[in-house]
Amino acid sequence: MKIRATKIIDLNNGLFKNSYNKINPVVFTVISVIGITAGVCIQSLNSTLNQDFFGKFNEFLSVNATKTFAELFAGNFIYNLIFLLFPFFLGMSAFGFAFIYLIPLIKGLGIGSACGLIYSSYGLTGIGYCLLIIFPVALIQFVTIILSCSESCQMSSDIFSALRKENIAEEIRMKLFFLRYAIIAVITLISSIVYAVCNLLFFKIIT
């Protein structure tokens, strides 16, 4: 995308810093918190949901207990990498910025609902599971979601603006987009390592 020189200079000041898009990380953080809060509240609205979840989560725990480090890591990494593709491809679309804000909300709803249901079903043991296994990984994952959504929103907006002005593609902006996503993928890999380690270290303690 052909971006004005001032913007290109700003983009190269840091891997995740620019002068015209500072507000997005804050917005995505707030949306994530709203999603988590809403997810925790949802579990209290349906007691049947708790009963269904209890059985399925017990099956999940039984399967996880037999997995090796490599299996835990690979399963979590593939899942998070697939989830990361949504903001990536939305960022490549001229109209993707209109939908990117839903991603942290959905992620927050998922994490919040899971934690709320685990607490409702297991009490203090559930809190231990959330603190020792879910929260450390979720924290890193939300960092990747916020970074990826911010970058994709910026990229999508740039594409939209360039199409309206009929500008010619600018190679440096696309390279920077891919570079940032490569770094985000590495952070995602780290979160999967943390997930596998936490499961192996704490799973037997809390179950």
Side-chain angles (χ1 to χ4, degrees):
M1 236 12 91
K2 188 177 180 181
I3 311 298
R4 290 185 302 175
T6 53
K7 290 186 178 181
I8 292 176
I9 292 172
D10 286 334
L11 288 169
N12 285 290
N13 281 338
L15 288 171
F16 293 100
K17 294 180 180 179
N18 55 79
S19 62
Y20 66 99
N21 199 32
K22 291 180 179 179
I23 191 64
N24 273 339
V26 177
V27 173
F28 289 126
T29 301
V30 172
I31 293 174
S32 299
V33 172
I34 292 173
I36 294 171
T37 304
V40 172
C41 294
I42 286 174
Q43 60 82 26
S44 63
L45 301 178
N46 192 339
S47 58
T48 304
L49 184 63
N50 289 358
Q51 295 173 0
D52 293 339
F53 175 81
F54 185 79
K56 292 178 181 179
F57 190 69
N58 274 332
E59 293 178 9
F60 169 78
L61 292 177
S62 299
V63 172
N64 257 20
T66 63
K67 287 184 177 180
T68 63
F69 175 88
E71 291 172 329
L72 290 167
F73 165 77
N76 187 263
F77 181 64
I78 292 172
Y79 166 78
N80 288 314
L81 207 58
I82 292 173
F83 194 87
L84 201 60
L85 291 176
F86 288 100
F88 177 81
F89 285 114
L90 285 173
M92 302 289 287
S93 167
F95 300 97
F97 64 88
F99 304 97
I100 291 172
Y101 293 92
L102 293 174
I103 293 175
L105 180 65
I106 293 171
K107 186 70 172 182
L109 282 170
I111 296 293
S113 297
C115 291
L117 289 166
I118 289 171
Y119 171 71
S120 298
S121 301
Y122 293 91
L124 292 177
T125 301
I127 293 178
Y129 185 89
C130 292
L131 288 175
L132 296 175
I133 295 179
I134 293 182
F135 288 171
V137 180
L139 181 62
I140 303 174
Q141 289 177 356
F142 273 114
V143 170
T144 65
I145 291 297
I146 291 167
L147 290 176
S148 62
C149 287
S150 298
E151 174 61 19
S152 291
C153 191
Q154 174 183 312
M155 185 64 176
S156 178
S157 299
D158 288 345
I159 294 173
F160 181 78
S161 298
L163 289 177
R164 289 181 62 190
K165 297 176 183 178
E166 297 182 352
N167 287 339
I168 303 172
E170 179 67 59
E171 185 179 4
I172 187 171
R173 182 67 185 90
M174 194 65 69
K175 284 184 177 179
L176 194 57
F177 180 74
F178 290 141
L179 173 61
R180 288 173 172 174
Y181 258 93
I183 295 172
I184 292 169
V186 172
I187 300 174
T188 301
L189 183 145
I190 293 172
S191 76
S192 297
I193 294 175
V194 172
Y195 172 78
V197 170
C198 288
N199 264 279
L200 292 176
L201 289 178
F202 305 121
F203 184 80
K204 292 182 180 180
I205 297 176
I206 63 175
T207 55

